[in-house]
């Protein structure tokens, strides 16, 4: 009976526990940082706003939201294999990135507890939210007999070290991008209920408000540390992180649009919407925005997508590995060239727009 739910192709660590997807440059990252530097941070320049956000976190608006109702209580045997594969991979990607947020925030709340109690409590409450999100997604995976062993993931993943300001840029963007992604899917499925293949999407409306609040916390935190926003170095790094986050998401999702096709979403349209909105939102705190309205922006990313498809074809071919290296080199060089040109595209100064872009 269980076998009818197992998809050949998903490897298992032990029965019902999925082997985590291989880490690639495009998969969600696990982070660690300089906890001492973070603890010593003076947040007084924006303490009032941070206290107001802490009150919001304490209010815990989604306390009763993540409860599986009767609609979950059914068999998913009717879902065809391809849909199931796309969906389980989506759940895994989302669960991994929610869980990576949980680990980082939890560790920060632990390490900052004595030295910076306000920040420690904020991180602790954000960890609470991310644990809920990851748990809800993992429970959904278990409906397909393929959950993740989060303890194993904690021990087996590589952790990327980022200085505090890089943590701020990266997590701010991933929270805001998370907000726009969840809300876009939610609204699409509200308009196209026949495409809602599983009840979890109904939860995205309130869920994304958690991500939005997390993003606002990092916004307030960066404003308490203006040196991370108003120097020439900050402008260069913000450009870098905007491009890295947008580029990674665009390339990953347009390269493999399967999950979005299942929901009846045009992946490219979805990506451009999410990027445009996140870019506008980021302009409220970052000193620069990217010129994502320029046709050159997506043309260059599309070249990368095609290069990656060609790379995959080479890897899957029977050509000897040594020769494959020579076939792959020009494609890697082209990717690097496109990304460099994208980085050098003239950004848009966002200071005049701060406070007006919504
Ligand atoms: Fe989350
Ligand atoms: Fe979040």
């Amino acid at each position: 009976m269980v076998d009818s739910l197992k998809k050949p192709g998903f490897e298992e660590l032990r029965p019902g526990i999925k082997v985590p997807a291989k880490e690639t440059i495009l998969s969600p990252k696990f982070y660690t940082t300089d906890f001492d530097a973070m603890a010593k941070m003076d947040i007084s320049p924006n303490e009032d706003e941070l206290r107001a956000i802490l009150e919001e976190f304490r209010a815990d608006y989604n306390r009763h939201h993540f409860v599986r109702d009767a609609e979950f209580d059914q068999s998913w045997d009717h879902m065809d294999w391809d849909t199931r594969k796309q969906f389980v991979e989506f759940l895994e990607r989302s669960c991994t990135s929610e869980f990576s947020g949980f680990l980082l925030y939890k560790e920060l709340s632990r390490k900052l507890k004595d030295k910076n109690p306000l920040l420690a409590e904020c991180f602790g409450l954000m960890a609470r939210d991310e644990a809920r999100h990851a748990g809800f997604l993992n429970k959904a995976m278990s409906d397909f007999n393929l959950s993740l062993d989060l303890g194993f993931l904690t021990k087996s993943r590589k952790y990327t070290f980022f200085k505090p300001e890089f943590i701020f840029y990266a997590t701010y963007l991933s929270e805001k991008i998370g907000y726009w992604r969840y809300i876009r899917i939610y609204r699409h499925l509200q308009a196209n209920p026949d495409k809602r293949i599983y009840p979890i999407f109904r939860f995205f409306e309130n869920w994304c408000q958690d991500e939005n609040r997390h993003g606002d916390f990092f916004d307030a935190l960066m404003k308490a540390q203006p040196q991370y926003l108003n120097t020439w170095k900050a402008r260069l790094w913000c450009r870098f992180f905007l491009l890295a986050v947008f580029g990674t998401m665009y390339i990953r999702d347009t390269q493999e649009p399967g999950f979005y096709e299942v929901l009846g979403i045009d992946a490219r349209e979805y990506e451009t919407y999410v990027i445009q909105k996140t870019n506008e939102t980021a302009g409220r705190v970052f000193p620069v925005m990217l010129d994502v309205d320029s046709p050159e922006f997506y043309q260059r990313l599309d070249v990368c997508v095609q290069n990656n498809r060609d790379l995959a074809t080479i890897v899957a071919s029977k050509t000897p590995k040594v020769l494959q290296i020579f076939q792959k080199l020009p494609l890697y060089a082209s990717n690097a060239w496109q990304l460099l040109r994208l980085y050098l595209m003239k950004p848009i100064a966002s200071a005049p727009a701060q406070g007006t872009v919504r």
Side-chain angles (χ1 to χ4, degrees):
M1 155 228 158
V2 170
D3 284 342
S4 72
L5 280 170
K6 295 257 169 72
K7 160 85 175 132
F10 276 134
E11 277 184 81
E12 288 170 299
L13 275 178
R14 50 182 193 273
I17 303 298
K18 187 180 176 302
V19 171
K22 222 173 103 221
E23 264 186 87
T24 69
I25 192 164
L26 300 176
S27 43
K29 300 266 173 300
F30 282 33
Y31 297 108
T32 181
T33 188
D34 180 344
F35 295 103
D36 283 338
M38 201 79 108
K40 281 190 204 124
M41 232 162 36
D42 172 22
I43 49 165
S44 58
N46 201 20
E47 191 171 334
D48 290 347
E49 197 186 347
L50 285 163
R51 287 211 179 274
I53 290 172
L54 173 60
E55 285 312 316
E56 293 252 295
F57 287 161
R58 282 180 178 161
D60 197 3
Y61 303 111
N62 282 337
R63 182 190 309 253
H64 303 298
H65 183 60
F66 295 94
V67 179
R68 285 162 60 97
D69 53 23
E71 205 191 331
F72 287 88
D73 202 9
Q74 56 172 297
S75 151
W76 301 99
D77 280 353
H78 60 272
M79 211 186 258
D80 65 75
W81 283 122
D82 189 49
T83 304
R84 186 177 303 208
K85 178 174 182 295
Q86 300 294 349
F87 183 52
V88 168
E89 284 172 358
F90 164 78
L91 291 173
E92 177 175 6
R93 258 196 320 275
S94 308
C95 180
T96 309
S97 85
E98 297 279 10
F99 187 65
S100 121
F102 162 76
L103 286 178
L104 175 70
Y105 300 158
K106 189 78 200 161
E107 196 59 5
L108 277 162
S109 104
R110 218 167 55 80
K111 296 255 167 76
L112 269 54
K113 205 165 177 223
D114 300 323
K115 294 180 194 141
N116 208 331
L118 170 59
L119 287 192
E121 189 176 353
C122 287
F123 281 120
L125 295 174
M126 291 199 298
R128 166 202 71 195
D129 295 342
E130 305 302 16
R132 264 180 205 154
H133 301 166
F136 206 62
L137 288 156
N138 207 15
K139 192 84 188 82
M141 284 182 76
S142 73
D143 285 346
F144 301 89
N145 283 352
L146 283 161
S147 53
L148 288 177
D149 179 340
L150 298 176
F152 175 78
L153 212 56
T154 309
K155 282 182 241 135
S156 65
R157 288 284 291 236
K158 276 203 295 290
Y159 288 74
T160 306
F161 176 87
F162 267 1
K163 297 197 285 187
E165 63 264 44
F166 295 171
I167 291 281
F168 297 162
Y169 302 145
T171 44
Y172 168 78
L173 284 174
S174 84
E175 295 290 1
K176 288 294 181 184
I177 221 166
Y179 165 76
W180 286 110
R181 285 168 70 84
Y182 283 142
I183 195 68
R184 183 76 177 91
I185 293 177
Y186 176 81
R187 287 187 190 140
H188 168 82
L189 293 177
Q190 212 182 13
N192 303 275
D194 56 309
K195 296 285 184 193
R196 193 163 62 71
I197 54 169
Y198 185 83
I200 202 165
F201 301 108
R202 271 197 290 116
F203 290 73
F204 279 13
E205 190 182 28
N206 289 20
W207 185 326
C208 76
Q209 293 305 335
D210 284 342
E211 313 305 5
N212 203 23
R213 280 186 284 271
H214 299 168
D216 288 344
F217 165 78
F218 285 107
D219 177 312
L221 192 49
M222 284 187 279
K223 284 178 180 152
Q225 302 288 304
Q227 77 278 16
Y228 293 156
L229 297 172
N230 59 15
T231 63
W232 62 269
K233 258 194 192 165
R235 277 192 291 280
L236 292 179
W237 280 117
C238 286
R239 266 164 83 177
F240 174 82
F241 276 93
L242 283 163
L243 179 61
V245 170
F246 294 165
T248 310
M249 177 183 74
Y250 183 88
I251 292 169
R252 184 193 62 212
D253 290 349
T254 43
Q255 209 165 284
E256 284 174 32
F259 167 69
Y260 299 95
E261 281 164 4
V262 163
L263 302 187
I265 292 175
D266 179 299
R268 204 174 181 283
E269 219 172 88
Y270 170 78
E271 296 300 311
T272 47
Y273 175 85
V274 171
I275 288 174
Q276 194 213 350
K277 289 297 190 185
T278 311
N279 194 43
E280 270 175 27
T281 306
R284 283 190 251 161
V285 57
F286 283 5
V288 286
M289 294 185 280
L290 299 187
D291 185 7
V292 297
D293 289 332
S294 158
E296 185 189 345
F297 185 79
Y298 291 107
Q299 280 160 11
R300 292 200 181 277
L301 286 177
D302 284 332
V303 174
C304 295
V305 171
Q306 190 52 50
N307 287 343
N308 288 1
R309 289 205 179 110
D310 294 346
L311 282 166
T313 313
I314 293 169
V315 173
S317 73
K318 294 203 173 77
T319 313
K321 289 276 181 265
V322 185
L323 289 180
Q324 283 190 8
I325 296 173
F326 292 101
Q327 292 177 321
K328 288 196 257 178
L329 272 178
L331 296 166
Y332 285 132
S334 164
N335 274 353
W337 176 245
Q338 301 308 328
L339 294 172
L340 177 68
R341 292 297 301 267
L342 280 163
Y343 183 69
L344 295 175
M345 272 174 73
K346 198 173 180 305
I348 299 168
S350 62
Q354 272 186 21
T356 56
V357 180
R358 283 291 175 268

